[in-house]
């Protein structure tokens, strides 16, 4: 027992190095963004330089490093790291494009269609009746629902606000007036069967969703081929979500209020596009 106590007293906190798989362009963009912000608010001093703060925040977002671990390894307090994280997330989220501007940009670049899909970002399950609306019966998990648009190459161009996990794709699309914005920009959209019924214009449809099979209605060979072609055209949207979910902080969100989750996803959209377009 004496030896055990002596070994326990000799222990000390250790610091290890971890590779951050991000480009220097992303780090510099975040550092420059912080420098401009500090100049705007006339903040003359921070305990660490902007470049170091940017690396710490990116490590939290990319590897889901705990704030206490990052604080101890950099000789600052946990609340300081939390404040840096929230500050930079807010600055990045402000750079995320609006829906109408994102669609007009695609139209100016000669694009004809966008890819649309919804996803569930899982969250921690919380006690109480208030968390029941976050349960998704489709995924059998608690989370927040997001709607996203990508271009034909799978590059994320817009992401919606966070909604309860039980929200249907059509409900989210109607709330954001997706159909109105698409018609105003002169664009079409490719979507999965979850968006069936969103566009009821038979003569001039904007949203293409494919054909649905049922017990009483089997698909014809032509309809199956049409669904196959649509699936090939929609494949890049999954690549866009995959790039976004490379940020491990999204593995299981610990952010409960939807506005905070919205800012986080929009900040990660900006960072994701910086990495893809480097």
């Amino acid at each position: 027992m004496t030896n055990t106590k002596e070994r326990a007293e000799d222990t000390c906190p250790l610091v290890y190095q971890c590779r951050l798989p991000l480009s220097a362009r992303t780090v510099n963009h975040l550092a420059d963004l912080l420098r401009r912000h500090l100049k705007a608010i006339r903040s003359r001093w921070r305990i660490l330089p902007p470049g170091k703060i940017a690396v710490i925040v990116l490590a939290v977002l990319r590897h889901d490093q705990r704030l206490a671990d990052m604080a101890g390894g950099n000789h600052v307090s946990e609340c300081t790291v939390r404040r840096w994280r929230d500050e930079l997330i807010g600055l990045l989220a402000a750079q995320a494009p609006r829906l109408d501007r994102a669609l007009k940009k695609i139209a100016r670049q000669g694009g004809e269609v966008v890819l649309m899909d919804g996803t569930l970002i899982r969250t921690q399950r919380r006690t109480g009746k208030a968390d029941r609306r976050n349960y998704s019966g489709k995924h059998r998990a608690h989370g927040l629902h997001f709607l996203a648009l990508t271009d034909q190459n799978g590059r994320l161009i817009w992401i919606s606000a966070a909604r309860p996990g039980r929200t249907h794709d059509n409900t989210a699309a109607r709330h954001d007036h997706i159909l109105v914005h698409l018609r105003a920009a002169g664009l079409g959209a490719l979507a999965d069967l979850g968006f069936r019924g969103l566009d009821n214009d038979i003569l001039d449809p904007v949203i293409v969703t494919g054909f649905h099979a049922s017990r009483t209605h089997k698909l014809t060979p032509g309809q199956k081929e049409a669904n196959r072609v649509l699936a090939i055209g929609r494949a890049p949207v999954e690549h866009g979500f995959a790039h976004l979910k490379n940020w491990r902080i999204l593995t299981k969100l610990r952010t409960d209020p939807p506005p905070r989750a919205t800012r986080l996803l929009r900040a990660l959209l900006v960072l994701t596009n910086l990495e893809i377009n480097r």
Side-chain angles (χ1 to χ4, degrees):
M1 295 296 294
T2 303
N3 293 335
T4 304
K5 290 182 178 179
E6 290 179 356
R7 288 197 297 270
E9 292 174 356
D10 292 339
T11 58
C12 61
L14 301 176
V15 178
Y16 65 93
Q17 292 183 344
C18 180
R19 179 177 177 269
L20 188 61
L22 296 173
S23 64
R25 176 187 177 185
T26 300
V27 178
N28 292 334
H29 176 84
L30 201 56
D32 292 341
L33 189 63
L34 180 58
R35 290 189 187 97
R36 291 195 297 268
H37 175 66
L38 295 179
K39 185 177 181 180
I41 65 175
R42 298 182 180 180
S43 177
R44 297 176 296 176
W45 182 83
R46 289 288 170 94
I47 193 171
L48 292 178
K52 184 68 173 179
I53 294 174
V55 171
I56 292 173
V57 172
L58 288 173
V60 172
L61 299 178
R62 190 68 171 189
H63 291 308
D64 196 19
Q65 295 281 0
R66 297 300 184 264
L67 301 182
D69 296 339
M70 297 302 299
N74 293 279
H75 308 290
V76 295
S77 65
E78 181 179 351
C79 63
T80 298
V81 178
R82 180 180 292 106
R83 185 173 66 251
W84 290 344
R85 179 202 63 186
D86 295 341
E87 183 179 43
L88 287 177
I89 285 176
L91 294 175
L92 286 169
Q95 294 186 328
R98 286 172 29 183
L99 175 58
D100 54 346
R101 294 177 181 175
L103 293 177
K104 289 179 181 178
K105 182 178 179 180
I106 295 295
R108 286 197 303 269
Q109 294 175 349
E112 296 180 353
V113 297
V114 294
L115 310 180
M116 179 170 59
D117 203 358
T119 188
L120 183 80
I121 302 297
R122 299 197 176 197
T123 59
Q124 286 185 335
R125 180 179 179 180
R126 302 178 184 275
T127 59
K129 296 181 179 179
D131 195 46
R132 292 182 180 177
R133 62 184 188 142
N134 290 334
Y135 181 77
S136 170
K138 175 182 177 181
H139 298 276
R140 298 183 180 180
H142 287 76
L144 295 174
H145 179 275
F146 289 89
L147 196 66
L149 297 178
T150 72
D151 60 13
Q152 292 175 278
N153 297 321
R155 179 179 178 271
L156 287 166
I157 60 173
W158 174 79
I159 196 164
S160 72
R163 295 187 176 88
R166 68 183 182 184
T167 305
H168 194 275
D169 289 340
N170 271 354
T171 303
R174 291 190 180 101
H175 188 275
D176 290 318
H177 307 288
I178 297 291
L179 192 59
V180 175
H181 287 292
L182 286 172
R183 290 190 184 278
L187 296 174
L190 303 182
D192 59 14
L193 294 177
F195 293 92
R196 289 176 62 247
L198 180 61
D199 185 6
N200 294 321
D201 192 339
I202 301 176
L203 299 178
D204 186 21
V206 173
I207 299 176
V208 180
T209 58
F211 298 95
H212 174 67
S214 63
R215 292 182 179 179
T216 59
H217 176 71
K218 303 300 180 181
L219 297 183
T220 65
Q223 291 173 335
K224 290 181 180 180
E225 180 64 19
N227 283 351
R228 189 186 69 83
V229 173
L230 180 62
I232 294 174
R234 286 191 60 259
V237 72
E238 302 298 338
H239 301 162
F241 280 132
H243 288 303
L244 183 65
K245 293 181 180 180
N246 279 335
W247 300 90
R248 296 179 186 172
I249 195 172
L250 299 181
T251 303
K252 182 169 284 189
L253 278 180
R254 291 178 293 277
T255 300
D256 186 27
R260 292 186 181 180
T262 300
R263 287 194 295 270
L264 173 61
L265 265 292
R266 289 177 175 171
L268 295 182
L269 181 147
V270 175
L271 292 175
T272 300
N273 288 335
L274 283 173
E275 281 298 296
I276 293 176
N277 298 329
R278 62 185 177 181

